[in-house]
């Protein structure tokens, strides 16, 4: 039995989900017909396959011709998108409707980069004036820091910014900071502290001078345990040298939706940059959570990033589904996930500056669509979010690509490449590009036994490659704030479309709650005077082992 069969078996009490539409039966039949077809044959039969299955939007080119698809596949998949009302849900999202139903919230990261300034209404109010006011304040503040006008308590210029945040308040800004390295201020470094492991904050602060360091405490809720623990430590570290609480305002600013908690922490409300409940954490780099990006690259570049995302938003809103880049990526993902039983999807940037993109997309995708209860509260009987993973492609070639080429699993992959490098080392770049091209070609074509014999002189089964492994190639002209904005919005909307097809609320994340609750119960037990017995045998034993052993080997 294949996993595509699984989606046809109704579980008792499970409402028939979107994968029970009649178009899905057609897709299953079609899959059975094309499963045995090799992409080599498809390319051989159609010299125009690239033109047919590629799409350019601004400075982004998507080649999706190396997929196990025909025109019929795409037509059926587009019908699936139509029947799932992707266009309707998209318009409801852009229109400020509360499509995050389990949290009763609108989903408006798109308003944060709405460079057209067309009104976006939430609860009867146009949010654009407030959005623009915060962007302006971020720019003014960042310019003061970047120019040296904003000084530390002892009169010294700020040389280091430390973003303290976790999850969505860390991964996005960190990834963009890395990606836009060529655009950074030359004398202002940004550091990111997320892990509550004391080693992270300790190591980061060791190299810093409190008099020249600015902390950005980034937390939408301002209650996140890891962030508040690190922020409190940073504050104590700062006060140990500055000796006066009135200096805190020059060295600590906050990004949050929780004004009271920011004030209670001791940050001047004038130093708070606002965000709103309609911005989800993993979609928040476009909001004030991007303050560390603005500090690094300046307001103008940040606005270019927003404009790039807006360009992709506009394409997503206006292009027909069959020529809509996020829709196409989403449908290809659904094709492999629900009709071929693929369990994972690899993100393979061929660009040093995009090396954190896989980690960023792991959160964006898996926290959004890693769900087994649909929007209506019913258990689903079909596969939803794929396992997203990856690393820089060129390094992966010398590591895990073996499994992509000759393993037993079908792993669709996105290869992300920039045409123009940021260094003058063109020879390096050519090698990089040649490898990207070779890998996608090898994955698609493979090498038959006959070819192996002809090329190596041996008919060795170990040297045969089956091929027929699908991949997308996404080419950016160059990594600029604008193209990066487009790329990130492309993936955000891909995730959205898949969520619609799987009938999920992609914007909640209840799955992260239980562990948090249990951790707060366990924390005081770690140093309880008597052995702990209120959990299962494993957890009890581990807590008690930790209690004994941490006393026996106190920290150095
Ligand atoms: C993202 C999640 C999560 C969140 C962090 C940090 O969508 O909600 O990763 O961003 O838990 O939350 P705070 O910003 O509230 O500290």
């Amino acid at each position: 039995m294949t996993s595509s069969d699984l989606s046809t078996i109704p579980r008792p009490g499970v409402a028939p989900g979107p994968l029970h539409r009649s178009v899905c039966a057609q897709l299953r039949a079609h899959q059975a017909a094309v499963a045995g077809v090799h992409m080599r044959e498809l390319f051989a039969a159609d010299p125009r396959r690239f033109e047919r299955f590629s799409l350019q939007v601004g400075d982004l080119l998507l080649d999706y011709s190396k997929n196990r698809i025909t025109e019929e596949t795409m037509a059926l998949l587009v019908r699936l998108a139509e029947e799932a009302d992707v266009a309707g849900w998209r318009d409801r999202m852009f229109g400020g409707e509360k499509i995050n139903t389990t949290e009763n919230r609108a989903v408006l990261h798109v308003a944060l980069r709405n460079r057209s300034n067309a009104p976006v209404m939430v609860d009867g109010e146009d949010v654009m004036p407030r959005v623009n006011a915060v962007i302006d304040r971020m720019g003014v503040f960042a310019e003061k820091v970047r120019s040296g006008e904003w000084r530390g308590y002892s009169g010294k210029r700020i040389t280091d910014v430390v973003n303290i945040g976790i999850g969505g308040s860390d991964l996005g800004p960190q990834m963009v900071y890395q990606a836009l390295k060529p655009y950074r201020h030359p004398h202002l470094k940004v550091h990111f502290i997320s892990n509550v492991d004391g080693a992270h904050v300790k190591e980061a602060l060791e190299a810093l001078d409190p008099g020249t360091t600015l902390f950005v405490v980034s937390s939408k809720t301002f209650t996140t345990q890891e962030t508040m623990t690190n922020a409190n430590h940073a504050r104590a570290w700062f006060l140990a040298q500055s000796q006066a609480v009135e200096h805190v305002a020059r060295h600590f600013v906050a990004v949050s939706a929780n004004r009271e908690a920011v004030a209670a922490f001791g940050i001047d409300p004038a130093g708070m940059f606002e965000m709103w409940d309609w911005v989800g954490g993993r979609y928040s780099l476009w909001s004030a959570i991007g303050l560390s990006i603005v500090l690094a690259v300046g307001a103008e570049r940040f606005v270019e990033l927003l404009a790039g995302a807006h360009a992709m938003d506009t394409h997503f809103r206006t292009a027909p589904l069959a020529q809509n880049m996020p829709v196409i990526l989403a449908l290809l993902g659904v094709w492999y996930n629900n009709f071929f039983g693929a369990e994972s999807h690899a993100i393979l940037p061929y660009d040093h500056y995009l090396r954190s993109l896989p980690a960023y997309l792991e959160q964006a995708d898996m926290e959004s669509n890693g769900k087994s209860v649909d929007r209506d509260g019913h258990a689903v009987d079909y596969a939803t979010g794929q396992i997203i993973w990856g690393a820089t492609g060129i390094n992966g070639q010398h590591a895990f690509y073996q499994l992509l080429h000759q393993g037993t699993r079908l792993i669709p992959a996105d290869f992300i490449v920039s045409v123009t490098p940021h260094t003058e080392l063109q020879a390096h770049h050519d090698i990089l590009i040649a490898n990207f091209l070779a890998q996608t070609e090898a994955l698609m074509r493979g090498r038959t036994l006959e070819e192996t014999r002809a090329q190596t002189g041996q008919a060795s089964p170990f040297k045969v490659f089956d091929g027929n492994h699908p991949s997308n190639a996404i080419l950016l002209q160059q990594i600029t704030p604008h193209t990066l904005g487009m790329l990130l919005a492309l993936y955000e909307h891909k995730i959205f479309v898949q969520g619609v097809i799987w009938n999920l609320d992609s914007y909640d994340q209840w799955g992260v709650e239980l562990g948090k609750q249990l951790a707060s119960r366990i924390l005081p037990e770690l140093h309880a005077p008597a052995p702990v017995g209120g959990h299962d045998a494993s957890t009890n034993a581990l807590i008690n082992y930790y209690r004994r052993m941490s006393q026996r080997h106190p920290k150095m």
Side-chain angles (χ1 to χ4, degrees), residues 185-205:
H185 189 291
H187 306 300
L188 193 63
K189 266 209 184 110
V190 182
H191 313 261
F192 292 85
I193 299 177
S194 53
N195 195 333
V196 77
D197 184 333
H200 199 177
V201 66
K202 191 158 185 280
E203 266 190 22
L205 298 186

Tab-separated table of all heavy atoms in Angstrom, residues 185-205:
chain	number	residue	atom	x	y	z
A	185	HIS	N	26.373	47.985	7.570
A	185	HIS	CA	27.207	49.078	8.077
A	185	HIS	C	28.569	48.492	8.465
A	185	HIS	O	28.629	47.458	9.138
A	185	HIS	CB	26.513	49.682	9.306
A	185	HIS	CG	27.133	50.940	9.797
A	185	HIS	ND1	28.376	50.978	10.398
A	185	HIS	CD2	26.691	52.225	9.779
A	185	HIS	CE1	28.653	52.227	10.722
A	185	HIS	NE2	27.653	53.002	10.367
A	186	PRO	N	29.641	49.160	8.064
A	186	PRO	CA	30.955	48.541	8.297
A	186	PRO	C	31.390	48.512	9.760
A	186	PRO	O	32.253	47.707	10.138
A	186	PRO	CB	31.909	49.407	7.465
A	186	PRO	CG	31.196	50.700	7.251
A	186	PRO	CD	29.725	50.394	7.284
A	187	HIS	N	30.813	49.381	10.594
A	187	HIS	CA	31.310	49.438	11.975
A	187	HIS	C	30.235	49.096	13.005
A	187	HIS	O	30.326	49.516	14.153
A	187	HIS	CB	31.878	50.837	12.271
A	187	HIS	CG	32.910	51.249	11.276
A	187	HIS	ND1	34.071	50.525	11.092
A	187	HIS	CD2	32.947	52.276	10.382
A	187	HIS	CE1	34.781	51.098	10.130
A	187	HIS	NE2	34.116	52.153	9.682
A	188	LEU	N	29.210	48.417	12.554
A	188	LEU	CA	28.150	48.038	13.493
A	188	LEU	C	27.858	46.550	13.309
A	188	LEU	O	27.356	46.142	12.268
A	188	LEU	CB	26.888	48.873	13.197
A	188	LEU	CG	25.783	48.849	14.233
A	188	LEU	CD1	26.254	49.445	15.558
A	188	LEU	CD2	24.571	49.644	13.728
A	189	LYS	N	28.195	45.784	14.339
A	189	LYS	CA	27.978	44.332	14.247
A	189	LYS	C	26.691	43.975	14.960
A	189	LYS	O	26.393	44.545	16.009
A	189	LYS	CB	29.099	43.625	15.023
A	189	LYS	CG	30.280	43.206	14.213
A	189	LYS	CD	30.887	41.968	14.897
A	189	LYS	CE	32.142	41.556	14.188
A	189	LYS	NZ	33.332	41.809	14.978
A	190	VAL	N	25.969	43.010	14.429
A	190	VAL	CA	24.769	42.542	15.138
A	190	VAL	C	24.999	41.102	15.587
A	190	VAL	O	25.524	40.279	14.834
A	190	VAL	CB	23.507	42.634	14.252
A	190	VAL	CG1	22.276	42.188	15.033
A	190	VAL	CG2	23.296	44.052	13.735
A	191	HIS	N	24.645	40.833	16.826
A	191	HIS	CA	24.767	39.488	17.397
A	191	HIS	C	23.363	39.012	17.754
A	191	HIS	O	22.500	39.817	18.072
A	191	HIS	CB	25.630	39.519	18.665
A	191	HIS	CG	26.902	40.291	18.496
A	191	HIS	ND1	28.109	39.704	18.253
A	191	HIS	CD2	27.132	41.637	18.516
A	191	HIS	CE1	29.049	40.649	18.126
A	191	HIS	NE2	28.478	41.824	18.287
A	192	PHE	N	23.170	37.716	17.745
A	192	PHE	CA	21.844	37.168	18.035
A	192	PHE	C	21.954	36.168	19.179
A	192	PHE	O	22.733	35.212	19.093
A	192	PHE	CB	21.269	36.483	16.786
A	192	PHE	CG	20.947	37.474	15.700
A	192	PHE	CD1	21.932	37.888	14.804
A	192	PHE	CD2	19.690	38.036	15.600
A	192	PHE	CE1	21.657	38.828	13.817
A	192	PHE	CE2	19.400	38.974	14.606
A	192	PHE	CZ	20.385	39.374	13.721
A	193	ILE	N	21.195	36.410	20.223
A	193	ILE	CA	21.185	35.472	21.351
A	193	ILE	C	19.777	34.889	21.446
A	193	ILE	O	18.800	35.632	21.576
A	193	ILE	CB	21.527	36.171	22.682
A	193	ILE	CG1	22.928	36.787	22.615
A	193	ILE	CG2	21.439	35.180	23.833
A	193	ILE	CD1	23.306	37.557	23.867
A	194	SER	N	19.693	33.576	21.369
A	194	SER	CA	18.378	32.937	21.416
A	194	SER	C	18.324	31.834	22.464
A	194	SER	O	17.361	31.717	23.219
A	194	SER	CB	18.034	32.347	20.044
A	194	SER	OG	19.073	31.496	19.606
A	195	ASN	N	19.367	31.035	22.528
A	195	ASN	CA	19.340	29.838	23.361
A	195	ASN	C	19.417	30.225	24.832
A	195	ASN	O	20.219	31.078	25.215
A	195	ASN	CB	20.553	28.961	22.982
A	195	ASN	CG	20.429	27.558	23.496
A	195	ASN	OD1	19.764	27.300	24.490
A	195	ASN	ND2	21.076	26.629	22.817
A	196	VAL	N	18.604	29.563	25.648
A	196	VAL	CA	18.648	29.870	27.090
A	196	VAL	C	19.848	29.177	27.752
A	196	VAL	O	20.175	29.472	28.899
A	196	VAL	CB	17.312	29.489	27.779
A	196	VAL	CG1	17.209	27.983	28.004
A	196	VAL	CG2	17.116	30.261	29.073
A	197	ASP	N	20.500	28.300	27.030
A	197	ASP	CA	21.766	27.739	27.521
A	197	ASP	C	22.685	28.927	27.831
A	197	ASP	O	22.984	29.740	26.951
A	197	ASP	CB	22.374	26.855	26.411
A	197	ASP	CG	23.639	26.146	26.869
A	197	ASP	OD1	24.322	26.671	27.780
A	197	ASP	OD2	23.932	25.076	26.321
A	198	GLY	N	23.113	29.021	29.087
A	198	GLY	CA	23.916	30.171	29.499
A	198	GLY	C	25.152	30.374	28.639
A	198	GLY	O	25.698	31.485	28.575
A	199	ALA	N	25.600	29.318	27.992
A	199	ALA	CA	26.800	29.442	27.164
A	199	ALA	C	26.586	30.456	26.038
A	199	ALA	O	27.523	31.146	25.629
A	199	ALA	CB	27.171	28.084	26.578
A	200	HIS	N	25.352	30.539	25.555
A	200	HIS	CA	25.106	31.434	24.410
A	200	HIS	C	25.275	32.894	24.827
A	200	HIS	O	26.060	33.640	24.237
A	200	HIS	CB	23.707	31.179	23.844
A	200	HIS	CG	23.522	31.700	22.445
A	200	HIS	ND1	22.363	31.521	21.744
A	200	HIS	CD2	24.340	32.400	21.629
A	200	HIS	CE1	22.487	32.079	20.550
A	200	HIS	NE2	23.681	32.619	20.463
A	201	VAL	N	24.572	33.286	25.891
A	201	VAL	CA	24.646	34.694	26.308
A	201	VAL	C	26.040	35.003	26.850
A	201	VAL	O	26.612	36.067	26.587
A	201	VAL	CB	23.509	35.044	27.312
A	201	VAL	CG1	23.640	34.313	28.630
A	201	VAL	CG2	23.414	36.538	27.542
A	202	LYS	N	26.612	34.056	27.552
A	202	LYS	CA	27.921	34.319	28.176
A	202	LYS	C	28.978	34.545	27.098
A	202	LYS	O	29.712	35.524	27.128
A	202	LYS	CB	28.295	33.138	29.071
A	202	LYS	CG	29.481	33.423	29.955
A	202	LYS	CD	29.492	32.491	31.154
A	202	LYS	CE	30.627	32.881	32.100
A	202	LYS	NZ	31.920	32.380	31.677
A	203	GLU	N	29.001	33.646	26.144
A	203	GLU	CA	29.990	33.783	25.059
A	203	GLU	C	29.803	35.075	24.292
A	203	GLU	O	30.770	35.745	23.944
A	203	GLU	CB	29.836	32.627	24.067
A	203	GLU	CG	30.748	31.486	24.357
A	203	GLU	CD	30.732	30.482	23.218
A	203	GLU	OE1	30.375	30.843	22.085
A	203	GLU	OE2	31.064	29.323	23.504
A	204	ALA	N	28.542	35.403	24.024
A	204	ALA	CA	28.284	36.616	23.220
A	204	ALA	C	28.733	37.862	23.974
A	204	ALA	O	29.332	38.767	23.389
A	204	ALA	CB	26.806	36.703	22.884
A	205	LEU	N	28.448	37.902	25.279
A	205	LEU	CA	28.757	39.121	26.024
A	205	LEU	C	30.243	39.244	26.334
A	205	LEU	O	30.752	40.369	26.480
A	205	LEU	CB	27.939	39.174	27.322
A	205	LEU	CG	26.406	39.221	27.135
A	205	LEU	CD1	25.709	39.414	28.468
A	205	LEU	CD2	25.998	40.333	26.169
